Amino acid sequence: MADELTIKIAGEAGQGMQSIGAALSRFFRKNGFHIFANQDYMSRVRGGNNFFQLRIANKPVYTLRQKADITVALDKNSVTLHQNSIAEEGIIILDKAKFNISGENKLFFNAPFYELANNTGGSDIFINTVCSGVIVGLTGLAFDHLQEIIKDIFADKQDDVIQKNIEAAKAGYDFAKNNFKEEKFRLNSGAAQEDLLMNGNEAIALGAIRAGCKFYSAYPMTPSTTIMDTMAHYGKRFNIVVEQAEDEIAAINMIIGASFAGARSMAATSGGGFALMVEGLSLAGMTETPIVVVDAQRPAPATGFPTRTEQADLDFLIHAGHGEFARVIYAPGTIEEAFYLTIKAFNIAEKYQIPVLIMTDQHLADSYRGIEPFDLNKVKAQRYIISKEDSKKVTSYKRYQLTESGVSPRAVPSWIQDVIYVDSDEHNEEGHITEDADMRIKMVGKRFYKKITALSQEIEKPSAYNMANADTVLLGFGSTYGVMKEICAEPGNEKFGFIHFSQVWPFPVSEVNQLLKDKKNLFTVENNAGGQLAKLLMRETGIKVEHSILRYDGRPFDLDYLAGRIRELKNK
Amino acid sequence: MNVSDFKSNDEIAWCPGCGDFGILGALKKTLAASDKRPQDILLVSGIGQAAKLPHYIKCNCFNGLHGRAIPPAVAAKIANRNLTVIVTTGDGDCYGEGGNHLMHNIRRNVDITVIVCNNQIYGLTKGQASPTTDLGYVTKVQVNGVILEPMHPLEMAIALGCGFVARGYSSDMEHLSWLISEGIKHKGFSLIDVLQPCVTFNKKNTHEWYAKRIYKVNEDASYNPGDKMAAYQKTEEWGERIPIGIIYKSEKESYEDRSGLNKIIPLVEEEIENIDISDILREFI
């Protein structure tokens, strides 16, 4: 009997690893398991080697394991490539006849899935379904739920397609039951409630819809693109315009234009696209136009590793844009946070009339997790504009009226009885171009100092775990939340604590000073080569960490990898 | 409305004699003759002398980045289609820095009017060649004369399927004002290239130079702006005789029609405080 299993499905791009993964994800959730799933894919449409990895457990899971208990090799290449990442007691499911492999290997569990696919469905296409059946067979869980899911997945297909898939799955299931006698992969149904399954990008899109985003513009860029896909999918239902821009420069200038006109607007991209948006970011700062921009990071410089993960844009986002202006940067650690912080991002952007950035990475963007249903009342869309009703009484208006808070009342063009001037040049209260030195000082104070002071009261507090007892503290931002959380809960790590920053700018200085008072053995956990969080912490608080645990091979941290790195440090 | 309803208090920063004055006058005249209130009109510009123009009229004004006038204009129109959106830009802003946006927004065909103040030179940066400077013209940078082929924006616009392609002249305010009102009336992206002298930096294409060459296409009653091939030929005329007027015009569906925007309330009017997403959350179970 197993408490948790890591299942990997590997093959060439186009062989349908994702569809097996999706079916299995649903199956295990229906059986009451917590799941975490992610894809490792190459920047190509066909060929190469991709895999889908699924971790299922009786307890909540937030990260991956390094090695798989069950690996399904859909092609011969996968057998060789994944032999070194098999867990103790783990197996590789393969079709020896099809792959022309004759030798024996204790890792191998030979399942003739090509033959079974052809016998039941009549073509190779059915290997996906057969393999789903084989895996379920190994766990000993009942076939019924898989049958239901297949019916559901193929609901819009003809009856004989559904029937053939059920037969293919059953053939795989029976084969495993009859030929794999060990019980090491057997599972008892779990107790997790049926909940939501989504990835970080979907959570951001849903957050944006809930927050009242009405205009979305972007140029497709991995790993941000599925935000646009999701917005487009629901666009019509919620009257949201999703416009694919000619380039990222257009995208950011368009969302600024739509926001100026009064519609909440967002763009998403990855580092290279964000680089193109930088002048526009500065425009949003100067014109005090609220926008939300997502940077789903991937390894760079330049084109980098398009489909892999990294957290190396932290310094870039904090400093992006010429000149000085206020901004906020969120770095959600979980899918739930991605949803709630996106709504908050829209509210804060509008309240302070600033650009708000949401920094994620490929790992958070693409990984699926079973989560609790969202609390839709936790963060709601709040408006900070002159209402249409009140606008009728506004006959004289200054867009950049100097106020105590630095924030001027924001009107919607055509609602008020006066006109609105907005300028990227330094401007006076009316919004006309000025060269006046005193006015310059006042406007800098408004855009920069006053807003930053106010924003320090709105900081999203870092999550802290076990800080009262901890003698070793891990620090991270963004997608490393999950791996830090799980490692602190591992047996033997009772003295571990962690702090996770889901807002990295303005930096939560006073909270950090409080939390880290008298603490030693501080380690940042970062998916970059420069230890950017450690340096940010040093710059903002003067606190120096012992060491930065850095990973910059384009792969996410997983539980075993991080444990290994910590062991190495302790043995030094 | 009267011209005085559109009077701005901002001080004008152009050189005396600048062609931009004629364009400003023509635009004010057009707006005064329309039934639109200043707050229902949005002027959008990028950077350059022409881009200062919105400050000199009392209308909503979004004066953005160099080369980036069209994207915010288009998006503002999408967000609130009740606004009349007009871009005032220049040959550097629109044909140089922002060329990509011009191309793709002709394709997008949102109902805006783009007025390009084309003085065939860079004014604000003091006299370098623009994309429309004539071959051989000597500047401080192009010291041996311009060797890049001048761009033909009107020909390009027709090729991209622009439904309203016109050329005006800053010294013929009456005619230009008519062109602008026709451009505003046209449902979709309208491009109006306006020839204008730069009295400080363009010593070739002066008032006198233009005056000798310019003629109106509709003086020839047989000219049909709906004839695409004839329009192409017209755009090729440059040198001894330069045509102004509506060069090409064709009706087609705008972005607002094709996207269905015209069938829903303007995006800015949507209530957003409590958008119900519980139905779509069920799709993630």
Side-chain angles (χ1 to χ4, degrees), chain A residues 396-411:
Chain A
S396 172
Y397 179 74
K398 288 179 179 175
R399 174 66 188 89
Y400 300 105
Q401 188 193 336
L402 295 167
T403 61
E404 198 57 43
S405 65
V407 177
S408 320
R410 182 163 158 256

mmCIF file of all heavy atoms in Angstrom, chain A residues 396-411:
data_model
loop_
_atom_site.group_PDB
_atom_site.id
_atom_site.type_symbol
_atom_site.label_atom_id
_atom_site.label_comp_id
_atom_site.label_asym_id
_atom_site.label_seq_id
_atom_site.Cartn_x
_atom_site.Cartn_y
_atom_site.Cartn_z
ATOM 1 N N SER A 396 -15.838 71.250 -13.758
ATOM 2 C CA SER A 396 -14.471 71.743 -13.904
ATOM 3 C C SER A 396 -13.537 70.701 -13.302
ATOM 4 O O SER A 396 -13.710 70.277 -12.159
ATOM 5 C CB SER A 396 -14.338 73.072 -13.153
ATOM 6 O OG SER A 396 -12.986 73.449 -13.133
ATOM 7 N N TYR A 397 -12.581 70.255 -14.086
ATOM 8 C CA TYR A 397 -11.809 69.084 -13.673
ATOM 9 C C TYR A 397 -10.334 69.253 -13.974
ATOM 10 O O TYR A 397 -9.952 69.719 -15.045
ATOM 11 C CB TYR A 397 -12.338 67.855 -14.418
ATOM 12 C CG TYR A 397 -11.609 66.572 -14.089
ATOM 13 C CD1 TYR A 397 -11.802 65.932 -12.865
ATOM 14 C CD2 TYR A 397 -10.720 65.999 -15.004
ATOM 15 C CE1 TYR A 397 -11.129 64.752 -12.562
ATOM 16 C CE2 TYR A 397 -10.056 64.818 -14.710
ATOM 17 C CZ TYR A 397 -10.257 64.200 -13.486
ATOM 18 O OH TYR A 397 -9.599 63.037 -13.189
ATOM 19 N N LYS A 398 -9.505 68.886 -13.006
ATOM 20 C CA LYS A 398 -8.051 68.842 -13.208
ATOM 21 C C LYS A 398 -7.592 67.418 -12.975
ATOM 22 O O LYS A 398 -7.687 66.913 -11.862
ATOM 23 C CB LYS A 398 -7.347 69.746 -12.197
ATOM 24 C CG LYS A 398 -7.519 71.229 -12.442
ATOM 25 C CD LYS A 398 -6.793 71.974 -11.334
ATOM 26 C CE LYS A 398 -6.895 73.481 -11.534
ATOM 27 N NZ LYS A 398 -6.296 74.189 -10.403
ATOM 28 N N ARG A 399 -7.065 66.784 -14.008
ATOM 29 C CA ARG A 399 -6.680 65.372 -13.895
ATOM 30 C C ARG A 399 -5.615 65.144 -12.832
ATOM 31 O O ARG A 399 -5.595 64.109 -12.170
ATOM 32 C CB ARG A 399 -6.193 64.856 -15.259
ATOM 33 C CG ARG A 399 -5.620 63.445 -15.241
ATOM 34 C CD ARG A 399 -6.690 62.420 -14.897
ATOM 35 N NE ARG A 399 -6.166 61.085 -14.686
ATOM 36 C CZ ARG A 399 -5.739 60.609 -13.515
ATOM 37 N NH1 ARG A 399 -5.779 61.356 -12.431
ATOM 38 N NH2 ARG A 399 -5.284 59.377 -13.405
ATOM 39 N N TYR A 400 -4.704 66.116 -12.701
ATOM 40 C CA TYR A 400 -3.587 65.916 -11.769
ATOM 41 C C TYR A 400 -3.653 66.879 -10.594
ATOM 42 O O TYR A 400 -2.638 67.388 -10.123
ATOM 43 C CB TYR A 400 -2.250 66.020 -12.513
ATOM 44 C CG TYR A 400 -2.141 64.982 -13.610
ATOM 45 C CD1 TYR A 400 -2.280 65.327 -14.950
ATOM 46 C CD2 TYR A 400 -1.959 63.639 -13.285
ATOM 47 C CE1 TYR A 400 -2.216 64.362 -15.950
ATOM 48 C CE2 TYR A 400 -1.905 62.670 -14.274
ATOM 49 C CZ TYR A 400 -2.032 63.024 -15.609
ATOM 50 O OH TYR A 400 -1.985 62.063 -16.578
ATOM 51 N N GLN A 401 -4.860 67.116 -10.129
ATOM 52 C CA GLN A 401 -5.064 67.982 -8.981
ATOM 53 C C GLN A 401 -4.188 67.526 -7.812
ATOM 54 O O GLN A 401 -4.146 66.337 -7.480
ATOM 55 C CB GLN A 401 -6.546 67.898 -8.577
ATOM 56 C CG GLN A 401 -6.944 68.885 -7.518
ATOM 57 C CD GLN A 401 -8.310 68.532 -6.945
ATOM 58 O OE1 GLN A 401 -9.129 67.874 -7.596
ATOM 59 N NE2 GLN A 401 -8.542 68.971 -5.742
ATOM 60 N N LEU A 402 -3.463 68.473 -7.212
ATOM 61 C CA LEU A 402 -2.567 68.124 -6.109
ATOM 62 C C LEU A 402 -3.386 67.870 -4.852
ATOM 63 O O LEU A 402 -4.244 68.679 -4.489
ATOM 64 C CB LEU A 402 -1.542 69.230 -5.886
ATOM 65 C CG LEU A 402 -0.582 69.435 -7.066
ATOM 66 C CD1 LEU A 402 0.190 70.743 -6.925
ATOM 67 C CD2 LEU A 402 0.373 68.261 -7.227
ATOM 68 N N THR A 403 -3.142 66.737 -4.227
ATOM 69 C CA THR A 403 -3.913 66.374 -3.030
ATOM 70 C C THR A 403 -2.946 65.898 -1.949
ATOM 71 O O THR A 403 -1.783 65.611 -2.220
ATOM 72 C CB THR A 403 -4.884 65.210 -3.321
ATOM 73 O OG1 THR A 403 -4.105 64.073 -3.719
ATOM 74 C CG2 THR A 403 -5.885 65.545 -4.406
ATOM 75 N N GLU A 404 -3.471 65.776 -0.742
ATOM 76 C CA GLU A 404 -2.674 65.311 0.392
ATOM 77 C C GLU A 404 -2.107 63.916 0.133
ATOM 78 O O GLU A 404 -0.943 63.637 0.395
ATOM 79 C CB GLU A 404 -3.600 65.286 1.634
ATOM 80 C CG GLU A 404 -2.880 65.245 2.940
ATOM 81 C CD GLU A 404 -1.898 66.409 3.120
ATOM 82 O OE1 GLU A 404 -2.250 67.578 2.781
ATOM 83 O OE2 GLU A 404 -0.785 66.140 3.575
ATOM 84 N N SER A 405 -2.926 63.034 -0.420
ATOM 85 C CA SER A 405 -2.524 61.629 -0.595
ATOM 86 C C SER A 405 -1.674 61.419 -1.855
ATOM 87 O O SER A 405 -1.087 60.359 -2.036
ATOM 88 C CB SER A 405 -3.767 60.753 -0.711
ATOM 89 O OG SER A 405 -4.468 61.089 -1.899
ATOM 90 N N GLY A 406 -1.645 62.413 -2.732
ATOM 91 C CA GLY A 406 -0.949 62.225 -4.003
ATOM 92 C C GLY A 406 -1.854 61.655 -5.081
ATOM 93 O O GLY A 406 -1.512 61.636 -6.255
ATOM 94 N N VAL A 407 -3.013 61.164 -4.670
ATOM 95 C CA VAL A 407 -3.938 60.579 -5.643
ATOM 96 C C VAL A 407 -5.007 61.616 -5.990
ATOM 97 O O VAL A 407 -5.641 62.169 -5.099
ATOM 98 C CB VAL A 407 -4.596 59.300 -5.066
ATOM 99 C CG1 VAL A 407 -5.602 58.726 -6.039
ATOM 100 C CG2 VAL A 407 -3.520 58.272 -4.717
ATOM 101 N N SER A 408 -5.198 61.888 -7.276
ATOM 102 C CA SER A 408 -6.226 62.849 -7.700
ATOM 103 C C SER A 408 -7.494 62.093 -8.053
ATOM 104 O O SER A 408 -7.423 60.971 -8.543
ATOM 105 C CB SER A 408 -5.770 63.601 -8.950
ATOM 106 O OG SER A 408 -4.408 63.925 -8.865
ATOM 107 N N PRO A 409 -8.662 62.703 -7.837
ATOM 108 C CA PRO A 409 -9.907 62.037 -8.258
ATOM 109 C C PRO A 409 -9.828 61.701 -9.756
ATOM 110 O O PRO A 409 -9.379 62.523 -10.547
ATOM 111 C CB PRO A 409 -10.986 63.089 -8.000
ATOM 112 C CG PRO A 409 -10.379 64.021 -6.991
ATOM 113 C CD PRO A 409 -8.907 64.020 -7.247
ATOM 114 N N ARG A 410 -10.208 60.482 -10.087
ATOM 115 C CA ARG A 410 -10.070 60.062 -11.486
ATOM 116 C C ARG A 410 -11.440 60.016 -12.155
ATOM 117 O O ARG A 410 -12.359 59.345 -11.680
ATOM 118 C CB ARG A 410 -9.398 58.697 -11.555
ATOM 119 C CG ARG A 410 -9.176 58.201 -12.952
ATOM 120 C CD ARG A 410 -8.143 57.071 -12.996
ATOM 121 N NE ARG A 410 -8.324 56.293 -14.197
ATOM 122 C CZ ARG A 410 -8.892 55.094 -14.236
ATOM 123 N NH1 ARG A 410 -9.292 54.519 -13.128
ATOM 124 N NH2 ARG A 410 -9.047 54.463 -15.376
ATOM 125 N N ALA A 411 -11.543 60.724 -13.265
ATOM 126 C CA ALA A 411 -12.815 60.809 -13.985
ATOM 127 C C ALA A 411 -12.741 59.993 -15.267
ATOM 128 O O ALA A 411 -11.670 59.747 -15.810
ATOM 129 C CB ALA A 411 -13.130 62.261 -14.310
#
